[in-house]
Amino acid sequence: MDRVRRPSAKLEGLTPYDPKYLPADAMLSANENPRDVSEELRQKIEAAVREVAFNRYPDPLANDLRDAIAEANGLDREHVLVGNGGDELLFNTALAWGGPGRTFLNLPPTFSVYAANARLTDTDVLDIPRLADQDFAIDEEAVLRAVSGPDSQVDFTIIASPNNPTGLRARMEFLQELLAATDALVMVDEAYFEFSRQTMRPHLEANKNLVILRTFSKAFSLAGVRVGYILGHPDVIREYLKVRQPYSVDAVSQAIARVIYQNRAEFEPGINAIIAERERLTGALGALPGVHAYPSHANWVLFSVPEAARVWQGLYDAGILVRDFSTAPGLEGTLRVTVGTPEENDAFLNALRKEI
Ligand code: PMP
């Protein structure tokens, strides 16, 4: 056969997720940790991986890792589910709470994967745009109005806090109000919470509709390994168990993540350095003519600059890869720079000064 039937109609017009990950001297585009895992930890990881039986399927639920995460959060393992990166758990959220006839409340501009997952699962999307003139703060009143009352169609929402790619975290008081106002599932995506020092963990017990998403990809330097997790009510976690791929977290990743989690205190100085550099970058960017730096609680800074697409190319030609949002809806004219090492940040600022 030299032909193949058309795929599902819902793929029409879809483009595959493209992180635009190009080789560069300074990789400042994907919100990764600029510091890789230390040599000492690598040795511990090697020892742990040596114990892995490659011929056996992994523990489907990664229970050892689950227990470690649960204990650190003052919870039982039934409150925790580990996934193949946060991305898998985001997709599982759409599978379990979305679907035909169901509605997802989205707060764009935000992580584009949320809307893509809704589309793939035939979930309706209700958009409540963030406030562009208030540094992309959430339109809290509009959100509360949309979810309140028995007529609300919203089945679930995902709120990134801090919000990627804009930077602000959500206000805790607002999130509490939202959780109280609706029985929709409210996922608070805390992929970057280590840089904002704010978590909804204290509100888990009181709110069955709260799920918290976390990842090993950012503060813990494991973007290449693919481990994330959610914290939630055991009844909610049980629903996720119905849609997940049984062996999505391989045994090697489980072993690596266990070592990293046991030694997570080692990452604190690096996190503090990123927070300090974020503030330095924000200040330096804001001092440049024509540049607006959006306040960030995360490990990046979004900024607007005249001729952003040309500036992106100039930076890239100088060996510095940042993320180009210059034509993204609601983000026109902006670029996002991930906080790197002080040297990388200096190289970025020097290259940028030559472009404007
Ligand atoms: N949530 C947000 C807001 C993100 O930016 C990312 C990473 N780009 C993720 C979740 C998922 O990260 P991972 O799959 O690496 O855990």
Side-chain angles (χ1 to χ4, degrees):
M1 223 6 144
D2 65 349
R3 291 179 294 125
V4 60
R5 280 191 190 199
R6 281 213 307 270
S8 163
K10 67 183 153 217
L11 300 197
E12 252 166 60
L14 277 189
T15 44
Y17 183 80
D18 175 8
K20 306 199 176 66
Y21 213 43
L22 304 167
D25 296 334
M27 304 290 283
L28 303 179
S29 76
N31 299 341
E32 298 146 333
N33 195 320
R35 295 170 187 85
D36 201 346
V37 171
S38 69
E39 194 46 46
E40 292 79 359
L41 273 186
R42 276 179 181 271
Q43 283 173 13
K44 288 183 190 169
I45 286 170
E46 278 170 29
V49 170
R50 222 173 286 128
E51 300 298 313
V52 171
F54 293 141
N55 62 326
R56 303 293 176 198
Y57 283 97
D59 174 351
L61 292 174
N63 276 322
D64 289 346
L65 180 58
R66 213 179 169 203
D67 285 344
I69 292 167
E71 192 191 339
N73 285 281
L75 298 165
D76 301 325
R77 70 160 67 146
E78 287 72 26
H79 291 84
V80 182
L81 180 63
V82 179
N84 186 279
D87 280 345
E88 185 198 17
L89 297 160
L90 288 171
F91 190 60
N92 289 348
T93 304
L95 282 177
W97 260 266
R102 312 264 302 176
T103 301
F104 165 59
L105 171 62
N106 200 25
L107 310 183
T110 188
F111 191 32
S112 60
V113 166
Y114 306 159
N117 288 341
R119 189 163 172 182
L120 283 176
T121 53
D122 291 316
T123 309
D124 290 334
V125 179
L126 172 62
D127 278 332
I128 299 187
R130 288 165 178 269
L131 303 167
D133 57 353
Q134 292 176 38
D135 294 321
F136 297 105
I138 294 168
D139 188 344
E140 299 179 355
E141 276 176 29
V143 171
L144 289 171
R145 238 180 290 126
V147 301
S148 298
D151 294 339
S152 171
Q153 298 292 310
V154 175
D155 295 296
F156 72 108
T157 184
I158 306 177
I159 300 184
S161 181
N163 184 54
N164 181 15
T166 56
L168 288 184
R169 62 190 178 201
R171 288 192 320 115
M172 293 270 268
E173 298 75 14
F174 161 70
L175 292 174
Q176 281 170 256
E177 232 182 303
L178 174 64
L179 286 161
T182 181
D183 62 355
L185 187 82
V186 177
M187 171 174 270
V188 179
D189 181 345
E190 294 188 354
Y192 303 93
F193 91 105
E194 290 92 344
F195 308 107
S196 72
R197 305 285 190 207
Q198 174 183 291
T199 174
M200 285 299 280
R201 161 65 193 94
H203 302 282
L204 262 187
E205 281 84 352
N207 297 284
K208 189 170 181 178
N209 56 340
L210 170 62
V211 174
I212 296 172
L213 178 71
R214 304 249 183 93
T215 180
F216 281 67
S217 298
K218 313 296 177 180
F220 296 160
S221 301
L222 280 197
V225 175
R226 315 304 306 132
V227 181
Y229 63 94
I230 53 174
L231 305 176
H233 191 282
D235 289 349
V236 171
I237 299 289
R238 264 193 293 279
E239 300 302 325
Y240 274 85
L241 297 183
K242 297 176 187 173
V243 299
R244 68 183 295 272
Q245 298 291 316
Y247 300 112
S248 62
V249 188
D250 66 84
V252 173
S253 297
Q254 291 186 28
I256 297 171
R258 281 201 303 272
V259 173
I260 293 291
Y261 203 71
Q262 275 159 10
N263 293 279
R264 62 191 179 284
E266 262 193 35
F267 292 84
E268 274 300 312
I271 294 167
N272 285 329
I274 288 169
I275 293 171
E277 280 291 295
R278 173 186 76 206
E279 296 310 313
R280 182 173 78 91
L281 263 181
T282 305
L285 280 167
L288 294 175
V291 173
H292 174 72
Y294 289 89
S296 171
H297 295 116
N299 64 339
W300 70 77
V301 183
L302 183 79
F303 61 99
S304 62
V305 58
E307 299 181 68
R310 182 191 56 76
V311 170
W312 180 90
Q313 188 63 52
L315 290 171
Y316 188 65
D317 292 344
I320 291 149
L321 180 67
V322 300
R323 189 69 188 260
D324 182 5
F325 285 103
S326 61
T327 58
L331 294 167
E332 290 83 359
T334 67
L335 304 176
R336 186 193 67 194
V337 60
T338 300
V339 180
T341 62
E343 297 73 29
E344 288 170 327
N345 301 333
D346 283 339
F348 158 73
L349 286 169
N350 288 336
L352 181 63
R353 283 189 192 105
K354 290 193 187 122
E355 295 300 322
I356 54 180

